[in-house]
Amino acid sequence: MEQPPPSFHRHVVVDLETTGLSPRQGHRIIEIGAVALEQGVVVEKFTTLVDPSVPIPARVQAIHGITDEMLEGQPTSEEALARFFAFIADSTLIAHNAAFEITFLRHEFARLKMGFPNRHVCTLEMSRRHFPRLSDHTLETVYLHLFPNADFTRQSHRALDDARMTAKIWLRMEEGKPGFI
């Protein structure tokens, strides 16, 4: 089967919130936010909280604001990840600090005995190459560098907001606007 030209390829920008930093230590995904891009336009979004059946440490709750109570009655990991798997299909995934997101997704999909062949692009790595003089390369810093006049409002460390910001960063870096070095 012939691949569509890159400009027609579906890209999915993804961000996760988790119970910690390492799936090998039993940390789990608790929120998935993603936007699908086709020809540089957002065509679909995916967002869900996930009940991983493990408690969220208080120090982690303080970062993203997601509490155990918020996860009660939400889809299980199996339900949410099956839906997300269908959403991403064979898309190229894009994430800021993709190593983190990809590690969690690979772990969860392997746990569910699902494949994970998706290629991925990391906007954190891209921004380090293109903007080596930035004081840091956090999502917020890169976003404000590329969009200095942006009305910067978002819910701190929530997956869909972070995915939308990452999509804008990736699209701006891909289009090679003047000033992009």
Side-chain angles (χ1 to χ4, degrees), residues 1-76:
M1 189 164 114
E2 199 172 308
Q3 283 285 330
S7 61
F8 294 100
H9 184 72
R10 180 176 164 114
H11 293 82
V12 174
V13 184
V14 62
D15 188 80
L16 306 173
E17 300 304 333
T18 64
T19 62
L21 299 176
S22 173
R24 290 189 179 129
Q25 294 178 6
H27 301 145
R28 303 290 302 280
I29 295 171
I30 56 172
E31 185 177 34
I32 304 169
V35 292
L37 302 170
E38 293 178 9
Q39 296 180 318
V41 176
V42 174
V43 295
E44 200 174 355
K45 71 176 183 175
F46 181 98
T47 184
T48 188
L49 289 170
V50 181
D51 183 354
S53 301
V54 298
I56 306 169
R59 70 186 189 299
V60 177
Q61 287 182 33
I63 295 168
H64 48 55
I66 300 171
T67 65
D68 293 324
E69 294 75 26
M70 291 169 67
L71 301 182
E72 290 175 12
Q74 296 298 326
T76 64

